Structures are given as C-alpha cells and as structure tokens.
C-alpha cells in the first residue's frame, strides 16, 4: 500500500464508468450515511483498487468487488442448478432458495469461484486523501462493480458535503449543500476525484419529506414513507466528479423556460423569490445566446440555480444545479445597487458558460484550469454585451486585464499552464492568472484572428471534445485549423511562461525603436520573450499598423510607414503635438513604456479627448505600474493624472480612484508631511466629476454607469476628507436611520454614506459604528450586510478598527463574510496585523482548508511597506505555512518589498513637492 502514498494523481489501472450513489443526510445531527456502487473497468492486472476518500468512515465489511461477467455467469449457472434440485427435493426447498438469494446478493466471504472479491486490507491515507483496497488475488481484467458503504459529517467548512444555516419564521435551520470543486467530492463519497475520470451518476437521496432536494438531473421517482421521502434522479450524462451536486433545504423558486423547452428555476429562501427574477431573466437569455454562439444546445433538460446562505466562492457551475452566494444571484429592486445588478448578470453568465466550457468539455487536469475559468470569464462579457449593450462591458473588461497584469507582474506569479504536483495546491491557482490573464490572452487572440473565425473555432473545439477532456493544445489545434495561423507557436509564449512584457518605445533618427523585456514590479527586467501582436496608431485611429514582434527588439522606419508625417502633423486646435499610441484599445496583455516626449504628447491627447476610453485607461494603468516598479517617478504619474480632470467615463474614473487610493497610502508611508497635499490634489481631481454628475442627487433616468460612478466618486471624496461630502453623507445617513425607505439614500449611495460615517467615527464618537451595526442586524438582505461589513474598518481610529475585526469573528457574521472587514484603513494597518497574529490559531483552524484563508494573508500583509515589515512577516509564518497558502504568502511578502522600493523611490523624487504644489495650484 505504501507505493500509493505521496503520488500527485491516482494510478491508471482502474477506470470508473458509472456511479450509483445513495445518500441519507440527517440535518439535525449533521451526519450522513451512504453507499456507492461503481461500474468500473480493470485495465491491467492488479491486487489493488485505489480511489479518493477524505473525512469518511468506510464500513469495511461492506466493501466488495464483483467482476461482472464472471459473477453473472457463475451465479446464473448455479441458480438454475439449484432450482432444478428444488423441484426434486422439496423438503430442502427453503434452504436452497435462501442459498440462491445469498449467492445473488454476492455476500460470500471468500474471493474466487463465487465471483466476489473481498479486500484483505482497507485503509484511508488521510494526508493523501486516498482509499486503498488490497485484495488477496489479482483482479481480472475487464468490467466489474465496486460496492462501498460509508458515513460522514455535514461539515461547516463550506466544502465537500456541508451544512449552511438560515432562519425560517425565526427558527434556525440547516441546509445540506455540496461544493466539490476542485477536489472535495471525496468528502461525500469514495470516488475517482480527478477531472479526467468522467462517468455517469445515478443519484438517490433519502431526505425529510417537507424539504426540497435538488441534484444535477430531474427527479424521476419519489416515494414518501412518513417523514422521509426517497428521491431518484435521472442518470446524468458523463461528467467529472467535481460537478456532482445536491442541495437539501426549505426552498422556494421562480421558473421560466427557454424557447427550446429547457426548464430554468431560481431557488432561494422562502420569501425571497422576487429577488430571483432578474437572474432568471439573464439565465434564460444567456442559455439561448450560448446555444447559438457555441453551435450546440444546452445538453440537460433543466437548469436550477440556488442561492446558498453560506458559500465560500461567488458561485459553482455544477452541471444542471448551479450554486451561488446570495449576493451573486439575488437582486432587490428597492435595496440592491446598480453594481449588484451587474455582478449578478456577470456571475450568472460566467457559470452558464461553464456548462459548455468546463462541464461539456472538461480540462484533463488542473494544469489546464484556465480553459474553464479564462473562457468563462471572457464569454460572460460576450453575453452581457449582447444583453446589456448600454453597460459598455468591453471597456469594463479592462478591470479583468489589470488584475491579471498586477498579479503576473510578481516574481512569485505562475504560468497560465501551471504544474499542480499535489491536490493541496490546486486551490491557489483559482486566481487572477487562471481567470483574468486567461480571459485577457483569449481576448488578445480573438482580436488577432477575428471574431467570426474565433467563434467557428470554439464551436469546432466543443464539437470535437464534447463529453470528454481536453488540453490547451487541443484548443490551439482547433483554432489553427479554422484560421490557418500558427496559434500554438504564438500562444505558447503566453500560457507556458510566467509574466508578460513591457514594450519600451522611443523615436530616434526617424525610427520608432521598440524593445520588449519582462515586466516586474521589483524593478528589474526579468527573463522571457513573447510573440507580441503589436497594434499602433499615430495621430489618428485611421492611421494604424499591426505586426508581430517576435524578437527582443525591432525598429520601424517612420517615413516608410507614414508615421513621420502623422507624428508631426498638427492636431486639432492647431497643436503640433502628434501622438503615438501602442496597444490600441488595450487588446494586448502587456505594458507600454513611452519616452518622455511621447508621454507628453499622449497627455495632450488625453486632455483633448483624442483617445478612446480604453486607451485613456491603459495609459494611466501602465504609468501607475511603472511608477510602482520605480521605473517612473511619482511626479510624472501625478502630472499624468491631472490630465484626467475632466474625465467622466465610468471605467476610466474607477481606475483613477483605485490608483489614487494606492498613491495616498504609499505617500503616507514615504513622506507623511505631504499627505494633506496629496488628499487635496485628489479632492480637486474628483470634485469636477462629482459636480457634473449632480452630487448626491441622482438624475431621473440616469444611466447604469452613472449610477455606479456617483457612488464611487462620493466614496473617494469621503475617504480623502472632503468636508462638504462628509457633512451631506452624515445628514442623509441620519435620515436613513429614521426611514429605511427614504429617497435621500438609495442603494447606489449607501456605501459612500457608510464610509463617510466611519471617517467621523472614533472611540469617543462611536454613534456611527453602533448605527451601522444596527442596520446590519436588522437587514436580511445579504448585499446590505456586505455594504456594512465592508465599511466598518474604514475608520481612522485603530480602536474602532479592532472592535470591527473582533466583531467579524463572532457568530453574528457568517464565516464567508469575515474577509469583507479585512481591508482596513491605513491607520488600522498595525492593529490588523497584531489582530491576525493574536487570532491566527483560530483563523487557521476555521479557514485553513478554505480558499478564504489566502484573503486574510493578502489583505492584511500586502499593504506594509518596509523591509523590516517583510522580515517580521516571514518570521511569523516560518512555521505556520500550509501548502494551500504558501504561494499567496510569498506573493504578499513580495508586495511588501515592492512597496518598500517604491517608498524609497518617492523619497528620492526631488521634483515631487514642486510638482504637487503646481498641480494643486492649477486645479
């Protein structure tokens, strides 16, 4: 048995084909019993069966293996012989018939001629999460059936088969829920818990008769016996174990159908069905859209979507039974913000994309996770752009790209195609590389080969690998076949190596010199070379050239390509500042570094609105990244930011706000005496947009994007201490405390008001904090609770921050929501670090096996900004690290060191004070 320990994957000598699973959960004792019967194929001679199991108690006497052909033949022949003997010797009929039944049940204690194999040794290796069965004889090659009975616990870890709690008529109740991705089906039933081990599943559940019980497929038979009902579900199509799902609880639903008859339901707690109508609408339209886009209909007869009160992720794409955190599925017209509405639409589209990319065609191993998550992320924008064109989602897609760029700019990043040597490390690759970078390189490729060709390629890929598994190379092969482009060669540099390039560009002797090197926030140039699809325009979007940069450097003759004339041509208004923009509309996954002359020309183009919103966004974010990497000064970044004083595009301004928060924090660490001046600069920068939008008063019929922008702008002004904003926020908040339906504080403005209230909250003036807790306790809307929790630690008083952090660990806050309080004010940073250390044992025990553990580390550790801080953090975690958090810890410590370098760069910026004075005076 020892030979199977420590292996990254299960041995290949057994292949499961069909599971028959019976489960009986007890929602009072929070335990369950079950049995599984697996039709499998023995591919090569072995005395062992090795499969996955974790936190289960296997009933050893129940375990048996029956070779199908052998057992049917031997028992069939013996049965007829005994029946003949029964006719002759009537006196022994009863004994013989008992013997027949005994043989038919296959309960022989011996292996061999009877066709039943009983293991001599059964052992679960908990560290490897495997169940090893050792038999006295070699198992015959061919088909057979493995039977196992087991017991387990409905845990409270939001993984495997777990319990969630809710209240009905004031009474606390339990709900049984599954979350099997990436590798936790093994906590519910013994199985081959790897994505390539696809099989069909026949589920039977014994549940309380008054509850709703859902699984992947529709119910085909129901038998009620007193307080228990037995539900049998239609057999599933072939799928991976991580997609099996059950939900059991007191639920209600809203229902609709697609045009081709697929039944779609949204389930939620009783009394909340109105909040499911928007998601239902999105789901029906999205299924129909994807049917056309992928050239293949949704393959199941129904789709259920369920809002789960306790849920570690945003959602989970289980085949035919998609589970969601409540905030990602439910939308309340009266109390949800525009941002909540967009999140619901985006998450629903993402999960339904998985029904094709992930469920129908599944990655062969977690190395290729990005085929699931990158594509679902990208295709969700295809859906939302079709359903809600007024949202300008492809401009907002840049937020996905920059998350990928920010993580992939670390030395401790990883390739899109990343080796996963152990199951404990799978969880950490559900990150911005697999999701955001994955989606971004898909976007880059789609723009390169063309939208129609790309869509045909995806349809071919799905057709070729439906109900099977695929690797990245399989996708490239389909796109190459349709496009005729060397896609594998082009894309391998983006998926198989870590990082991305920064393209440096300058004009010299009538030549445009271009050079690539790996971008790193630590400031050094890393190793790597990419095949980069370059798009470049000069002076006008009509004057554009495209080419592949395949070497480390290159040069364009500006006269040959007509760039010289465009670069020197007069701009609008008589200016001679012609501009050059690389990476047009930010379709490429890379940074661009311009020389000072080209940067100045782009600042002019921004001020005069010559550039698209996507390009204005990209120029800002590249400059910020270069400043953070100490490759550009903060003075130059602030000068660039001042060019955006008239900006009104939601996505651009939202990123400008994000950048301003980070600049304010780093200046507070580098030169504290400049903090007031920095805040005033940002107040001046954002006040124009706030006034243009009409301040706190929403306009009749205003756009979805303006509604989101108003809240973000007012929140920023509150954080930077704008007196009028704070005063008005508190006035409206006080009215809201009196009347929860007051029009003075609609959902889009509540977060801004809550943050403003906390800016004025301290130990001596704590009424704002207490009032927010009152709102939290009285609300049953998850989105409202989220808003409150997210604002509590924004107080500048460390004592209030500590009180909020302590509150998050009480039973009043769901374990999934504790992470919402971790983004503390800069004044509370040291307090939060001490709190993390003091409570680490509890945090590790509660969230150590959850993906949420990484959020504690990243949120609290990353904002520090000195080498001493980095060393202290390393010392603390030296003997406290787990495999599931090791990568995140290294990344967070690297961010601390990056901040330390950035602090030093700012302290050495001798133009900073002068620049800040000029910009503040100008605005």
């Amino acid at each position: 048995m020892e030979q199977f320990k420590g292996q990254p994957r299960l041995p290949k000598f057994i292949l499961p084909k069909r599971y028959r699973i019976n489960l009986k959960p007890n929602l009072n004792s929070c335990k369950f019993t079950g049995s599984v019967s697996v039709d499998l194929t023995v591919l090569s001679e072995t005395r062992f069966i090795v499969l996955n199991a974790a936190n289960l108690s296997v009933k050893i006497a129940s375990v048996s293996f029956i070779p199908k052909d052998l057992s049917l033949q031997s028992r069939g022949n013996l049965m007829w012989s005994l029946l003949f003997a029964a006719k002759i010797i009537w006196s022994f009929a009863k004994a013989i018939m008992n013997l027949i039944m005994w043989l038919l049940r296959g309960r022989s204690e011996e292996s061999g001629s009877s066709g039943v194999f009983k293991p001599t040794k059964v052992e679960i290796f908990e560290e490897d999460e495997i169940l090893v069965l050792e038999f006295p004889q070699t198992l015959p090659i061919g088909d057979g059936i493995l039977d196992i009975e087991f017991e387990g616990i409905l845990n409270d870890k939001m993984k495997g088969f777990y319990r969630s709690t809710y209240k009905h008529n004031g009474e606390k109740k339990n709900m049984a829920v599954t979350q099997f991705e990436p590798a936790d089906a093994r906590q519910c039933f013994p199985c081959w818990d790897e994505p390539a081990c696809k099989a069909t599943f026949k589920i039977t559940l014994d549940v309380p008769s008054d509850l709703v019980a859902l699984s992947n497929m529709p119910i085909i038979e129901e038998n009620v016996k007193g307080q228990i009902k037995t539900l049998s579900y239609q057999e599933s199509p072939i799928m991976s174990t991580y997609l099996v799902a059950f939900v059991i609880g007191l639920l209600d639903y809203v229902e609709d159908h697609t045009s081709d008859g697929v039944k779609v339901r949204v389930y939620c707690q009783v009394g909340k069905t109105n909040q499911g109508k928007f998601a239902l609408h999105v789901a029906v339209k999205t299924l129909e859209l994807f049917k056309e886009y992928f050239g293949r209909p949704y393959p199941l007869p129904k789709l259920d979507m369920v809002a789960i009160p306790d849920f570690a992720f945003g959602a989970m794409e289980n085949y035919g039974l998609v589970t969601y955190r409540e905030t990602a599925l439910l939308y309340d017209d009266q109390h949800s913000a525009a941002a909540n509405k967009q999140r619901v639409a985006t998450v629903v589209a993402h999960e339904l994309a998985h029904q094709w990319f992930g469920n129908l065609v599944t990655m062969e191993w977690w190395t290729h996770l990005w085929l699931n998550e990158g594509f679902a992320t990208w295709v969700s924008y295809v859906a939302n752009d079709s359903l809600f064109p007024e949202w300008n989602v492809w401009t907002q897609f840049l937020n996905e790209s920059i998350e990928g760029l920010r993580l992939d700019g670390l030395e401790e990043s990883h390739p899109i195609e990343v080796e996963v040597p152990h199951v404990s490390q799978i969880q950490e690759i559900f990150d911005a590389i697999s999701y955001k970078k994955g989606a971004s390189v898909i976007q880059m490729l789609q723009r390169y080969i063309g939208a129609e060709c790309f869509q045909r390629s995806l349809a071919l890929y799905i057709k070729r690998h439906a109900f099977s598994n695929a690797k990245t190379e399989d996708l490239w092969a389909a796109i190459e076949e349709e496009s005729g482009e060397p896609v594998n060669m082009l894309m391998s540099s983006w998926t198989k190596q870590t990082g991305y390039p920064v393209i440096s560009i300058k004009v010299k002797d009538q030549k445009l010199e271009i050079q690539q090197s790996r971008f790193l926030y630590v400031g050094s140039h890393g190793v790597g070379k990419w095949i980069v699809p370059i798009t470049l325009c000069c002076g006008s979007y009509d004057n554009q050239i495209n080419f592949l940069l395949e070497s480390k450097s290159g040069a364009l003759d500006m006269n040959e390509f007509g760039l010289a004339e465009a670069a020197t041509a007069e701009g609008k208004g008589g200016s001679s500042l012609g501009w050059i923009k690389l990476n047009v509309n930010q379709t490429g996954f890379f940074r661009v570094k311009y020389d000072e002359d080209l940067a100045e020309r782009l600042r002019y183009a921004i001020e005069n609105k010559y550039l698209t919103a996507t390009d204005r966004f990209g120029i800002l974010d590249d400059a910020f990244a270069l400043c953070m990497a100490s490759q550009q000064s903060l003075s130059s970044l602030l000068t660039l930011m001042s060019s955006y004083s008239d900006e009104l595009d939601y996505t651009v301004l939202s990123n400008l706000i994000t950048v301003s928060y980070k600049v304010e924090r780093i200046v507070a660490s580098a030169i504290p005496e400049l903090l007031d001046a920095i805040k005033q600069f940002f107040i001046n920068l954002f006040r124009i947009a706030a006034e243009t939008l009409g301040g706190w008063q929403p306009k009749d019929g205003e756009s979805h994007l303006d509604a989101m922008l108003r809240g973000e702008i007012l929140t920023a002004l509150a954080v930077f201490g704008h007196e009028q904003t704070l005063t008005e926020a508190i006035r409206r908040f006080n009215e809201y405390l009196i009347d929860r339906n007051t029009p003075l504080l609609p959902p889009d403005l509540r977060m801004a008001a809550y943050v403003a209230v906390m800016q004025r909250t301290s130990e001596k003036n704590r009424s704002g904090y207490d009032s927010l807790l009152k709102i939290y306790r009285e609300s049953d809307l998850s989105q409202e609770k989220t808003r409150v929790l997210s604002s509590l630690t924004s107080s500048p008083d460390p004592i209030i921050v500590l009180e909020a952090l302590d509150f998050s660990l009480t039973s009043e806050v769901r374990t999934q929501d504790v992470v919402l309080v971790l983004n503390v004010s800069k004044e509370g940073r040291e307090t939060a670090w001490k709190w993390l250390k003091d409570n680490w044992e509890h945090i590790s025990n509660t969230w150590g096996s959850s993906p949420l553990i990484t959020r504690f580390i990243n949120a609290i550790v990353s904002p520090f900004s000195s080498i001493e801080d980095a060393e202290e953090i390393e010392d603390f975690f030296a003997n406290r690290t787990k495999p599931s958090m090791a990568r995140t810890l290294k990344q967070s410590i690297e961010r601390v060191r990056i901040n330390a370098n950035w602090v030093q760069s700012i302290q050495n910026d001798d133009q900073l004070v002068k620049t800040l004075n000029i910009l503040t005076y100008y605005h």
Side-chain angles (χ1 to χ4, degrees):
M1 286 189 167
E2 295 296 317
Q3 64 182 303
F4 303 113
K5 294 176 65 175
Q7 300 300 312
R9 299 180 67 168
L10 294 172
K12 305 295 185 184
F13 45 67
I14 303 282
L15 181 66
K17 298 191 299 183
R18 181 178 189 250
Y19 292 83
R20 290 179 298 280
I21 301 169
N22 186 296
L23 292 171
K24 185 176 182 178
N26 186 320
L27 273 64
N28 294 319
S29 65
C30 294
K31 296 179 180 179
F32 64 92
T33 59
S35 64
V36 61
S37 183
V38 189
D39 292 5
L40 53 79
T41 301
V42 180
L43 300 174
S44 59
E45 290 188 349
T46 178
R47 292 192 302 109
F48 297 93
I49 293 179
V50 185
L51 63 164
N52 294 113
N55 301 321
L56 294 176
S57 176
V58 171
K59 297 179 181 178
I60 295 176
S62 74
V63 181
S64 67
F65 174 74
I66 308 172
K68 258 188 178 177
D69 294 338
L70 179 61
S71 62
L72 288 175
Q73 180 182 355
S74 62
R75 285 187 285 172
N77 291 340
L78 186 54
M79 180 183 69
W80 287 112
S81 299
L82 292 171
L83 283 172
F84 179 73
K87 291 179 181 179
I88 299 173
I89 313 172
W90 181 252
S91 61
F92 295 107
K94 186 176 180 179
I96 292 171
M97 291 304 295
N98 286 338
L99 177 61
I100 292 172
M101 295 304 296
W102 177 65
L103 288 168
L104 286 173
R105 285 195 303 268
R107 297 303 181 186
S108 170
E109 292 299 321
E110 298 181 4
S111 301
S113 61
S114 69
V116 180
F117 286 71
K118 300 290 288 187
T120 55
K121 194 172 183 181
V122 176
E123 188 166 350
I124 292 180
F125 295 98
E126 289 292 351
E127 186 174 343
D128 294 290
E129 299 183 345
I130 58 173
L131 168 63
V132 182
L133 312 176
E134 183 177 355
F135 295 87
Q137 294 174 273
T138 299
L139 304 179
I141 293 175
D143 294 341
I145 300 175
L146 174 66
D147 288 312
I148 305 174
E149 295 178 10
F150 52 88
E151 296 177 346
I153 295 174
L154 293 173
N155 68 73
D156 60 355
K157 306 298 183 183
M158 296 184 289
K159 60 189 293 187
F161 199 13
Y162 73 93
R163 64 183 183 269
S164 176
T165 61
Y166 60 102
K167 285 188 176 181
H168 179 66
N169 294 332
E171 182 182 356
K172 185 177 179 181
K173 292 183 175 293
N174 288 325
M175 178 187 298
V177 186
T178 56
Q179 171 58 47
F180 290 164
E181 190 181 29
D184 290 307
R186 64 192 67 182
Q187 294 200 43
C188 182
F189 56 94
C191 57
W192 281 259
D193 203 10
E194 296 182 356
C197 297
K198 284 192 164 185
T200 62
F201 294 83
K202 183 74 176 70
I203 308 295
T204 301
L205 298 177
D206 294 326
V207 300
S209 54
D210 61 333
L211 300 183
V212 172
L214 306 171
S215 188
N216 305 86
M217 301 298 287
I219 296 170
I220 57 173
E221 185 178 357
E222 178 175 341
N223 293 308
V224 179
K225 292 183 180 180
Q227 296 183 341
I228 298 295
K229 61 183 176 183
T230 299
L231 303 174
S232 296
Y233 298 84
Q234 182 179 330
E235 188 162 345
S236 76
I238 188 171
M239 64 183 187
S240 303
T241 50
Y242 78 86
L243 296 170
V244 177
F246 333 109
V247 176
I248 302 154
L250 193 61
L251 301 167
D252 200 357
Y253 66 86
V254 287
E255 177 181 306
D256 200 353
H257 294 78
T258 64
S259 59
D260 54 353
V262 176
K263 183 188 293 183
V264 183
R265 288 178 173 178
V266 172
Y267 284 86
C268 56
Q269 293 180 54
V270 175
K272 293 187 176 184
T273 52
N274 280 338
Q275 298 176 32
K277 291 180 178 179
F278 175 69
L280 181 66
H281 166 76
V282 172
V284 170
K285 296 297 183 184
T286 300
L287 285 180
E288 294 178 340
L289 186 150
F290 286 161
K291 172 186 173 182
E292 298 301 320
Y293 191 83
F294 294 127
R296 192 181 188 100
Y298 174 71
L300 302 186
K302 63 93 174 175
L303 171 70
D304 294 329
M305 305 194 301
V306 191
I308 308 298
D310 299 282
F311 202 77
F313 298 89
M316 175 60 210
E317 67 268 19
N318 314 299
Y319 225 170
L321 180 58
V322 185
T323 45
Y324 296 79
R325 186 177 287 212
E326 286 190 336
T327 54
L329 186 66
L330 304 182
Y331 173 76
D332 186 310
D333 286 331
Q334 298 300 314
H335 297 287
S336 297
N340 300 134
K341 186 176 188 178
Q342 183 169 316
R343 172 162 168 75
V344 169
T346 301
V347 176
V348 168
H350 179 107
E351 302 310 319
L352 299 198
H354 275 309
Q355 307 302 303
W356 285 263
F357 261 93
N359 300 6
L360 185 62
V361 182
T362 310
M363 75 254 156
E364 188 274 337
W365 181 244
W366 300 103
T367 295
H368 307 282
L369 172 66
W370 84 282
L371 288 177
N372 282 20
E373 301 302 348
F375 263 93
T377 300
W378 181 78
V379 173
S380 70
Y381 281 80
V382 173
N384 280 339
D385 184 52
S386 176
L387 296 178
F388 308 102
E390 69 277 11
W391 290 1
N392 294 338
V393 295
W394 285 117
T395 303
Q396 294 189 61
F397 180 81
L398 295 174
N399 291 318
E400 308 282 357
S401 295
I402 62 171
E403 282 193 53
L405 289 165
R406 286 170 184 169
L407 179 55
D408 212 26
L410 301 179
E411 287 184 312
E412 291 292 343
S413 182
H414 62 82
I416 285 179
E417 295 183 68
V418 58
E419 291 301 318
V420 184
H422 195 272
V423 66
S424 63
Q425 297 172 313
I426 296 173
Q427 193 59 65
E428 278 202 301
I429 66 169
F430 281 78
D431 61 6
I433 301 301
S434 298
Y435 284 74
K436 317 296 187 178
K437 182 181 180 180
S440 299
V441 299
I442 291 163
Q443 169 83 334
M444 182 170 65
L445 178 60
Q446 189 249 18
R447 295 296 176 90
Y448 178 73
I449 68 169
E452 291 184 6
C453 178
F454 190 73
Q455 183 178 349
R456 291 196 306 271
S457 302
L458 296 187
L460 174 63
Y461 168 78
I462 289 173
K463 179 180 179 181
R464 187 171 287 170
H465 300 285
F467 301 108
S468 185
N469 296 85
K471 298 181 179 181
T472 301
E473 290 75 15
D474 297 318
L475 176 63
W476 299 156
I479 301 175
E480 280 192 0
E481 189 173 322
E482 279 293 323
S483 67
E485 296 283 350
V487 175
N488 190 35
M489 179 189 73
L490 172 65
M491 297 306 295
S492 290
S493 65
W494 296 96
T495 64
K496 292 185 181 298
Q497 66 178 334
T498 306
Y500 57 86
V502 53
I503 309 297
S504 299
I505 175 173
K506 63 181 179 180
V507 177
K508 184 177 181 181
D509 300 329
Q510 292 299 300
K511 290 186 181 296
L512 196 63
E513 296 184 351
I514 299 175
Q515 187 173 13
Q516 66 160 296
S517 59
R518 181 182 173 188
F519 176 82
L520 288 170
Y521 280 107
V522 294
S524 59
H525 293 294
V527 176
K529 187 181 77 170
W530 290 260
I531 299 177
V532 188
I534 298 291
T535 55
L536 183 149
C537 61
C538 190
S540 166
Y541 286 97
D542 296 329
N543 188 24
Q544 183 170 323
I545 61 173
N546 307 319
F547 62 94
L548 286 177
L549 178 64
E550 300 185 53
S551 59
K552 295 284 284 186
S553 61
L556 295 178
D557 188 314
M558 296 185 67
N559 292 308
E560 179 181 349
F561 287 96
L563 297 177
E565 182 179 352
T568 57
E570 288 191 356
K572 295 179 183 179
S575 168
S576 61
L577 289 176
W579 48 269
I580 294 174
K581 172 66 173 66
L582 199 71
N583 195 15
V584 178
N585 287 322
Q586 300 303 115
T587 57
F589 190 78
F590 53 86
R591 301 285 190 190
V592 181
K593 182 179 181 180
Y594 299 92
D595 68 16
E596 182 51 42
D597 178 60
L598 293 176
E600 182 181 353
R601 291 166 180 263
L602 285 173
R603 287 196 295 272
Y604 176 83
I606 290 167
E607 290 170 355
N608 289 275
K609 302 294 190 295
Y610 296 159
L611 303 179
T612 62
T614 49
D615 280 334
R616 298 197 302 274
F617 181 107
I619 291 166
L620 170 65
D621 204 70
D622 286 348
F624 170 62
L626 290 164
C627 178
M628 194 172 178
S630 303
Q631 295 185 38
Q632 278 185 196
S633 68
L634 180 58
S635 299
S636 65
L637 176 63
L638 294 175
T639 301
L640 174 64
M641 293 176 76
S642 70
S643 303
Y644 291 81
S645 59
D646 294 326
E647 184 63 62
L648 289 175
D649 180 86
Y650 166 73
T651 308
V652 179
L653 263 176
S654 181
N655 193 39
L656 193 67
I657 291 168
T658 300
V659 170
S660 68
Y661 288 153
K662 294 183 177 181
V663 168
E664 186 232 12
R665 285 194 171 220
I666 203 68
V667 168
S669 297
I671 312 177
E673 57 269 27
L674 287 183
L675 188 56
D676 288 342
I678 282 286
K679 286 182 175 182
Q680 188 59 51
F681 170 69
F682 289 138
I683 288 172
N684 294 341
L685 190 59
F686 297 126
R687 192 169 53 192
I688 297 172
E691 291 170 354
T692 304
L693 287 170
W696 285 89
Q697 191 58 46
K699 298 177 182 177
D700 291 337
E702 72 178 0
S703 72
H704 169 83
L705 295 176
D706 280 353
M708 291 202 299
L709 179 58
R710 175 179 284 100
E712 291 193 28
I713 287 285
L714 292 173
T715 300
L717 288 172
V719 169
F720 294 130
H722 184 235
E723 192 62 34
Q724 292 95 317
T725 299
L726 291 169
T727 301
E728 182 63 14
I730 293 170
R731 183 183 78 82
R732 290 173 179 257
F733 178 75
N734 289 332
E735 290 293 329
Y736 181 67
L737 291 178
I738 298 169
D739 176 11
R740 294 290 196 273
N741 295 310
T742 177
L744 289 176
L745 202 61
D748 293 308
L749 299 180
R750 287 179 198 163
M751 185 64 185
Y754 297 170
V755 170
V757 166
M758 290 308 299
Q759 300 304 302
R760 292 282 183 85
T761 299
S762 64
E763 183 187 15
K764 295 180 180 179
N765 179 22
R766 54 176 295 116
S767 61
Y769 178 81
D770 293 334
S771 296
L772 281 171
L773 284 188
K774 186 173 186 291
I775 292 171
Y776 177 86
R777 287 165 175 150
E778 291 176 352
S779 177
D780 66 347
L781 183 70
S782 297
Q783 292 160 350
E784 181 75 333
K785 288 180 177 291
T786 295
R787 282 192 285 264
V788 173
L789 289 174
S790 299
S791 64
L792 288 180
T793 52
S794 61
S795 168
D797 188 335
I799 294 175
I800 295 295
V801 169
L802 178 59
E803 189 170 339
L805 289 168
D806 286 340
F807 172 72
S808 74
L809 297 182
T810 68
S811 60
E812 290 192 69
V813 179
R814 293 184 183 272
T815 54
Q816 66 180 16
D817 292 333
V818 174
V819 295
L820 297 172
V821 306
L822 300 180
N823 294 314
V824 305
S825 63
K826 59 183 179 295
E827 295 86 354
R829 187 171 61 196
E830 293 287 350
T831 297
W833 170 234
K834 184 178 184 303
W835 173 84
L836 182 71
K837 291 187 292 183
D838 291 345
N839 291 279
W840 181 252
E841 184 176 355
H842 170 70
I843 291 168
S844 181
N845 290 337
T846 306
W847 291 274
S849 62
S850 164
L852 297 177
I853 189 67
T854 59
R855 299 274 294 276
F856 285 88
I857 296 168
N858 184 40
I860 292 179
V861 167
S862 296
F864 283 97
S865 55
S866 75
I867 299 300
E868 293 76 19
D869 292 332
E871 291 172 348
E872 179 185 343
I873 293 162
E874 284 178 325
D875 289 343
F876 177 77
F877 284 108
N879 57 357
R880 294 178 173 90
T881 304
K882 298 181 178 182
S884 60
M885 54 176 267
R887 190 190 301 272
T888 299
L889 178 61
K890 290 179 181 178
Q891 291 168 349
S892 299
I893 293 172
E894 182 180 349
R895 289 189 178 100
V896 176
R897 296 183 183 279
I898 290 166
N899 288 341
N901 292 342
W902 194 13
V903 163
Q904 187 172 6
S905 172
I906 291 170
Q907 291 171 341
N908 294 334
D909 185 353
D910 55 10
Q911 295 297 309
L912 180 57
V913 175
K914 179 181 177 182
T915 299
L916 194 55
N917 287 336
I918 293 172
L919 293 176
T920 303
Y921 175 79
Y922 173 77
H923 283 287

